[in-house]
Amino acid sequence: MNNQLYERDFNVWRETIIKKIKQQDFNDIDWEHLLLELEDMGKSEKRSFLSNLTILIAHLLKLTVQADAPEMMKGSWYSSVTENRFRVRKDLEENPSFKNYLHEVIFIAYADARKLAIKESKNAKFGVRKPDETEYPLDFPFTLEQLLDEDFYGELGG
């Protein structure tokens, strides 16, 4: 197989690889690029998972810390929590090994989520209270069960 096809037209390259695998023509496969793509695919899946997890946690934090925010603002956070939780749960369902990954990255996600929530809160307008950074816990305040519970929206202690 012409390895240059990968550089010229990725989609044709991909279709050619699929065809050769289905035909069990393994001798003429661009293994180098195929392995790169498989590795990148895994990295991309993990980046997407981490991003959804971070946004989920950030908006749970905002719902917790800014419980006094107007309902209109909180409505978008509720929607975001629902959407990102759905994505995280779907990823865990389709990739059971992501449960181990979740344990690996939960504290990275929390650190980023905390920064995001603080930054977004500083931009609050229309007389909405701007919480102090110290109101956002330094340690992950939720359990994994709460994080994945479709009925949990950040009510700590409740």
Side-chain angles (χ1 to χ4, degrees):
M1 179 178 184
N2 182 351
N3 290 353
Q4 302 305 314
L5 183 57
Y6 178 84
E7 307 291 333
R8 282 196 322 267
D9 190 330
F10 177 80
N11 191 54
V12 171
W13 173 85
R14 184 185 56 78
E15 289 172 356
T16 303
I17 292 288
I18 291 169
K19 181 178 166 190
K20 289 189 177 292
I21 291 173
K22 284 181 178 178
Q23 295 170 345
Q24 296 186 7
D25 180 8
F26 304 125
N27 293 326
D28 197 24
I29 289 179
D30 178 2
W31 290 105
E32 179 184 352
H33 288 117
L34 179 58
L35 290 173
L36 283 173
E37 289 302 319
L38 288 172
E39 288 173 351
D40 283 349
M41 195 168 71
K43 290 176 188 173
S44 176
E45 293 270 332
K46 285 183 172 181
R47 275 193 304 271
S48 174
F49 180 77
L50 181 58
S51 175
N52 291 327
L53 185 62
T54 301
I55 295 168
L56 166 61
I57 295 169
H59 288 142
L60 280 175
L61 266 178
K62 289 178 74 165
L63 285 166
T64 302
V65 173
Q66 292 183 273
D68 56 346
E71 289 303 315
M72 194 169 97
M73 286 178 71
K74 292 194 307 189
S76 69
W77 301 336
Y78 280 112
S79 295
S80 175
V81 166
T82 300
E83 178 183 341
N84 286 284
R85 180 179 282 139
F86 174 81
R87 291 176 181 175
V88 166
R89 289 173 59 131
K90 191 75 169 161
D91 281 343
L92 289 169
E93 181 182 302
E94 291 176 358
N95 303 288
S97 65
F98 273 21
K99 260 202 173 123
N100 294 334
Y101 183 63
L102 172 64
H103 291 283
E104 287 176 34
V105 298
I106 192 69
F107 298 108
I108 294 167
Y110 182 70
D112 290 345
R114 183 176 181 273
K115 288 178 197 169
L116 179 62
I118 290 168
K119 187 174 261 320
E120 287 181 0
S121 297
K122 286 181 178 179
N123 294 325
K125 293 184 176 33
F126 310 115
V128 175
R129 182 181 71 83
K130 296 180 183 183
D132 188 83
E133 282 187 35
T134 59
E135 293 181 61
Y136 295 90
L138 289 174
D139 296 321
F140 184 59
F142 311 113
T143 64
L144 289 179
E145 291 76 22
Q146 288 173 323
L147 195 62
L148 299 174
D149 179 350
E150 62 188 46
D151 296 318
F152 179 75
Y153 288 93
E155 305 83 10
L156 290 178

